[in-house]
Amino acid sequence: MRGSEADGGRRTTRRFPLFTRDTARPEGGGRAASGDLPAPARQWPMLVVLSTVAVGLLLTSLDQFRVGALLVGAALLAGGVMRWVLPSVGMLAVRSRFTDIVTYGVLGLAIVLLALMAQPKPWLVIPFLKDTLHFTMKN
C-alpha cells in the first residue's frame, strides 16, 4: 500500500512532478545589504553591473564601439568576481554559484576579446585565427 491514512490515502511517488510549484532560491540570492536599507541599496551588486553595462552601451551608441564593448565585458567579469567573492549578491545570483561564475566569466571574456580584436586597427592580433579563416574559406 503506497498511501496511508495520515496523508489522506494519497499515493506517494518518487517521480518528479509534472509541474513545478516552486523553485529553490539560488545560493547567495538573498539581500546584498540589510533589510532596513532602501531597495536599490539592497541590490547594489546588480546595480553596479547594470549601470556599467548601460554606460558601455551609451559609449557604443556614441561611436566609441571598442571602449563601450570593453566596458560591457568588464561589467560581466566584475559580476562573476562579485559572485565568487561576496557571500550574498542579491539578484545577481541566478543559478548556482559555479554556474553564475562560469557564465559571467565566459561571456565577459568573449566580449572583451571580440572588442580587442575588432577591425579596423585591432588592439589584439592572434595570428593563427587569420590562418584558420583562410584555411576554411579556400575555394
Side-chain angles (χ1 to χ4, degrees):
M1 177 182 238
R2 290 188 172 205
S4 67
E5 292 179 21
D7 62 1
R10 201 175 65 200
R11 288 183 56 192
T12 58
T13 179
R14 296 177 71 171
R15 288 190 207 163
F16 290 109
L18 186 58
F19 298 104
T20 303
R21 303 264 186 256
D22 59 351
T23 56
R25 174 184 249 174
E27 54 184 88
R31 296 179 173 137
S34 66
D36 55 346
L37 293 172
R42 290 191 306 255
Q43 297 298 333
W44 69 267
M46 183 66 143
L47 288 175
V48 167
V49 172
L50 286 178
S51 60
T52 308
V53 167
V55 170
L57 291 175
L58 179 67
L59 286 173
T60 302
S61 70
L62 296 174
D63 208 21
Q64 295 294 319
F65 169 76
R66 194 179 313 268
V67 176
L70 283 172
L71 267 177
V72 171
L76 288 171
L77 290 173
V81 169
M82 283 191 280
R83 186 69 173 101
W84 182 28
V85 172
L86 299 175
S88 181
V89 290
M91 292 190 316
L92 198 60
V94 179
R95 301 283 180 200
S96 70
R97 186 175 302 270
F98 175 78
T99 303
D100 285 343
I101 291 169
V102 168
T103 304
Y104 291 139
V106 167
L107 291 176
L109 186 63
I111 291 172
V112 166
L113 287 176
L114 288 172
L116 291 174
M117 292 187 292
Q119 297 290 334
K121 301 177 187 172
W123 293 355
L124 176 66
V125 177
I126 302 176
F128 73 87
L129 288 180
K130 185 176 182 181
D131 296 335
T132 304
L133 180 65
H134 286 286
F135 177 73
T136 58
M137 301 302 277
K138 276 186 179 176
N139 287 333

